[in-house]
């Protein structure tokens, strides 16, 4: 069976009462003498969560899935495999929440961390030390949509006997499956494309290895950052439409990227599905679609970008992504305002950079809105 069928049917057969849709098991305890199917207390396991975990594992073609209360809770679970020690190699241009977690929680705790250029596998190789325990990458990256060659980095991790974890949030399981490319661990913020409606926080980890699963499961039960049954149910509902949503996101994103590219107020557009992306060939090789994130460098300063964003009607200025509704983000003023201007310059995040999360609205409507907002800035000059 293909993914669209599996997302709807795996682990979701009608239950004993004939309920076609899996129930929300809104309970914490399970009766002790009952045949509990392994359920005892909902922090350890909950039936609605277990269905979600099965479907998420399925979506990545993996053996084991684990659901967490948020994406960063999932990343925390993965980082705790290091037991607070050793050395971690991370790609730059990483999600700022992950950067915060690494710098504010793990570095003070003693973890050594090196950042390397996401697009350069040789940099990963050079950064490995005798005490390196894990490589963590994100591809495409945020907000510059750089592509990491996952297979090449997986080879490096294999040669050195270290773990490779890939945050696959931006590509979604529809368009990229890191386990098949040699990664040991896949991470998702299910808050984004997987749930798809910007109404529920969640995270997930998928692995094939039984020992890794055991360790992560032990952490999940012990640390307790689990999603509630309702959140699991909402995420499951979202997953059923993941394939059609992703197709709509990708189609719209390519259309908007091409239109932006032709506009005289746009310096350049960054979208992995454009032949002008420096890693277009690699993106085509390791992804089966290019998702809905589009970044663009506008020919205006930060104030101009602010005026552009204010003039948009269909794109709220907001921090999230991956929902059915389009959003716009100004990294220099939002996520990346927490790092210094120097650091921003080093990564390549300028004041003129905007990031769009392209939703599934009508593409012509989206472009008309962007076009009128750009016109507003032009007439202001
Ligand atoms: C949003 C996001 C996260 C964090 O997820 P939360 O659900 O907000 O905790 C991690 N990685 C990436 C790439 C993200 O976009």
């Amino acid at each position: 069976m293909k993914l669209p069928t599996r997302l709807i049917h795996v682990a979701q057969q009608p239950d004993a009462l004939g309920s076609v849709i899996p129930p929300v098991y809104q309970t914490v305890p399970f009766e002790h003498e009952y045949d509990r199917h392994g359920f005892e207390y909902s922090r350890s396991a909950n039936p609605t969560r277990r269905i979600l975990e099965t479907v998420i594992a399925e979506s990545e073609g993996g053996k084991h899935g684990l659901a967490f209360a948020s994406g960063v809770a999932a990343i925390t679970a993965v980082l705790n495999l290091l037991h607070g020690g050793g050395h971690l190699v991370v790609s730059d241009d990483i999600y700022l929440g992950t950067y915060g977690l690494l710098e504010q929680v793990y570095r003070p705790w003693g973890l050594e961390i090196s950042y390397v250029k996401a697009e350069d596998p040789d940099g990963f190789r050079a950064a490995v030390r005798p005490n390196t325990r894990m490589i963590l990458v994100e591809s495409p990256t945020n907000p510059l949509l750089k592509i990491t060659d996952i297979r090449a980095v997986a080879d490096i991790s294999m040669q050195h006997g270290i773990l490779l974890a890939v945050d696959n949030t931006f590509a979604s399981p529809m368009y990229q499956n890191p386990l098949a490319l040699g990664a040991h661990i896949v991470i998702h913020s299910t808050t984004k494309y997987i749930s798809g409606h910007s109404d529920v926080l969640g995270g997930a980890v998928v692995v094939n290895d039984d020992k890794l699963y055991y360790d992560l499961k032990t952490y999940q039960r012990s640390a307790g950052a689990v999603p509630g049954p309702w959140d699991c149910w909402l995420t499951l509902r979202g997953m059923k439409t993941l394939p059609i949503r992703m197709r709509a996101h990708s189609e719209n994103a390519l259309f908007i990227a091409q239109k932006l590219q032709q506009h005289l107020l746009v310096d350049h557009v960054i979208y992995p599905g454009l032949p002008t992306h420096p890693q277009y060939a690699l993106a085509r090789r390791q992804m089966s679609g290019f998702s809905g994130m589009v970044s663009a460098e506008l020919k205006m300063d930060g104030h101009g970008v602010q005026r552009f964003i204010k003039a948009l009607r269909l794109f709220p200025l907001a921090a999230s992504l991956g929902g059915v509704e389009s959003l716009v983000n100004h990294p220099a003023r939002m996520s990346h305002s927490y790092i210094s201007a120097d650091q921003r310059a080093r990564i390549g995040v300028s004041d003129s950079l905007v990031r769009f999360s392209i939703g599934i609205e009508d593409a012509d409507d989206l472009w008309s809105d962007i076009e009128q907002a750009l016109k507003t800035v032009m007439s202001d000059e």
Side-chain angles (χ1 to χ4, degrees), residues 70-73 75 95 98 138 167 169-170 189 191-192 201-202 321:
S70 68
V72 292
I75 297 168
Y95 175 73
T98 306
E138 218 177 276
D167 183 333
T169 300
F170 271 40
S189 166
T191 312
K192 317 293 170 52
L201 273 171
L321 64 107

Side-chain angles (χ1 to χ4, degrees), residues 70-100:
S70 68
V72 292
I75 297 168
T76 302
V78 169
L79 292 173
N80 271 281
L81 290 168
L82 306 176
H83 299 293
H87 175 239
L88 175 77
V89 178
V90 194
S91 50
D92 64 356
D93 193 36
I94 199 150
Y95 175 73
L96 253 285
T98 306
Y99 180 76

Side-chain angles (χ1 to χ4, degrees), residues 131-151:
N131 65 341
T132 303
R133 310 263 306 278
M134 185 186 284
I135 300 175
L136 171 64
V137 306
E138 218 177 276
S139 185
T141 63
N142 174 41
L144 295 169
L145 306 173
K146 298 188 208 170
I147 309 292
T148 299
D149 188 336
I150 295 172
R151 201 178 281 284

Side-chain angles (χ1 to χ4, degrees), residues 22 34 84 121 206 213 274 331 352:
Y34 198 75
V206 181
Y213 173 65
L274 286 178
S352 312

